[in-house]
Amino acid sequence: MMDIFIYLVTTLLAIVGLFIGLSTNLFWITNDPIKVQFGSFAFALVSIILGDRLVSYQKDKALMKIIKESLEKMPIMDTIKQFSNCNEALEYISSRLHEATVVLNTRVSGHLDDAAKKRNGFYNKNDLALKSALKGGLVFKDVVSEGFREFSSEIEQHCGSKYKHVVLKSTTPSFLNFTILDFDSEEELLFGWANSTYMGSEQKAYLVRDKRVIGYFKQYHQSLFTPSQGK
């Protein structure tokens, strides 16, 4: 309706301007017949072009709105980012903890010795980043295996309600660990720490931003993070 209205108004303006321009010697600007004819014609032409441009602008604006709404409804899909090893992925997580508002995490190892290798060297730096982010307001929900019980209890004791954890009653020989970073406006899922006798930090890790995959892992984390699972 707006398009028709704009076309109607500008067409009428062109017709009226053309005839009034001719009958009044171009709105009393000049008496030169050639200038009067040229000026009146130019006024009518500009009016029509202006109307057409206004209608095109309205259509483009409406189309962009439709495209934007369609894109917002589509799941965010992105090429999977591959890290060369798990330590590189941990460094990425540590670098973004201060930007996140909520983190869902797992620290599950099928071997107590692996878990109890303790927090020194490389891992200690990541733990320091976690403690700093928790003091800054980060909410961290951790699902851990028995070997991480002491470490998690220490974090929870010093950081209060911002850090919560459950200890799994039993673990499998291999477990695919993962981390979900929630930045309010977007979420990221990292996975690849499948701890077992045959795999360590040298294995690759991956990052995805597909909402469907992230939603699946969030539900999985919620099923693990229950009182009945911990002890």
Side-chain angles (χ1 to χ4, degrees), residues 1-7 50-66:
M1 290 298 294
M2 180 60 69
D3 296 349
I4 297 174
F5 177 76
I6 292 175
Y7 274 131
L50 179 63
D52 183 69
R53 290 298 86 204
L54 286 173
V55 170
S56 297
Y57 170 76
Q58 291 291 335
K59 288 182 177 180
D60 290 344
K61 185 178 179 180
L63 179 60
M64 290 302 296
K65 182 180 179 181
I66 293 173

Side-chain angles (χ1 to χ4, degrees), residues 33-114:
I34 296 178
K35 292 182 179 179
V36 169
Q37 293 177 14
F38 177 79
S40 298
F41 176 76
F43 177 84
L45 182 62
V46 169
S47 297
I48 292 175
I49 292 175
L50 179 63
D52 183 69
R53 290 298 86 204
L54 286 173
V55 170
S56 297
Y57 170 76
Q58 291 291 335
K59 288 182 177 180
D60 290 344
K61 185 178 179 180
L63 179 60
M64 290 302 296
K65 182 180 179 181
I66 293 173
I67 293 175
K68 181 180 178 181
E69 291 176 349
S70 299
L71 290 175
E72 289 176 348
K73 293 177 181 179
M74 291 177 62
I76 296 178
M77 301 182 68
D78 196 4
T79 303
I80 296 176
K81 174 180 174 61
Q82 177 179 302
F83 296 96
S84 59
N85 55 59
C86 290
N87 285 352
E88 184 181 342
L90 285 174
E91 287 181 345
Y92 176 85
I93 293 173
S94 297
S95 69
R96 302 211 65 188
L97 283 179
H98 282 283
E99 302 173 50
T101 55
V102 178
V103 172
L104 307 180
N105 186 65
T106 65
R107 299 171 191 256
V108 178
S109 174
H111 302 276
L112 290 178
D113 290 341
D114 291 340

Side-chain angles (χ1 to χ4, degrees), residues 157-220:
Q157 182 179 356
H158 285 85
C159 298
S161 61
K162 294 294 182 181
Y163 178 89
K164 292 295 183 183
H165 77 283
V166 296
V167 181
L168 294 183
K169 292 181 178 180
S170 61
T171 60
T172 61
S174 181
F175 183 92
L176 181 63
N177 285 281
F178 61 93
T179 301
I180 298 174
L181 302 171
D182 187 342
F183 303 103
D184 285 338
S185 59
E186 65 173 348
E187 295 176 312
E188 295 180 343
L189 164 68
L190 294 95
F191 62 90
W193 300 269
N195 292 320
S196 72
T197 305
Y198 306 102
M199 292 186 289
S201 62
E202 76 284 350
Q203 65 180 289
K204 294 179 176 63
Y206 302 90
L207 181 152
V208 297
R209 297 187 178 90
D210 191 312
K211 289 184 176 180
R212 298 167 299 177
V213 179
I214 294 174
Y216 175 85
F217 273 86
K218 287 174 73 173
Q219 290 183 342
Y220 179 45

Side-chain angles (χ1 to χ4, degrees), residues 20-44:
I20 293 180
L22 291 172
S23 63
T24 60
N25 295 329
L26 194 59
F27 306 105
W28 302 280
I29 295 176
T30 177
N31 291 318
D32 187 332
I34 296 178
K35 292 182 179 179
V36 169
Q37 293 177 14
F38 177 79
S40 298
F41 176 76
F43 177 84

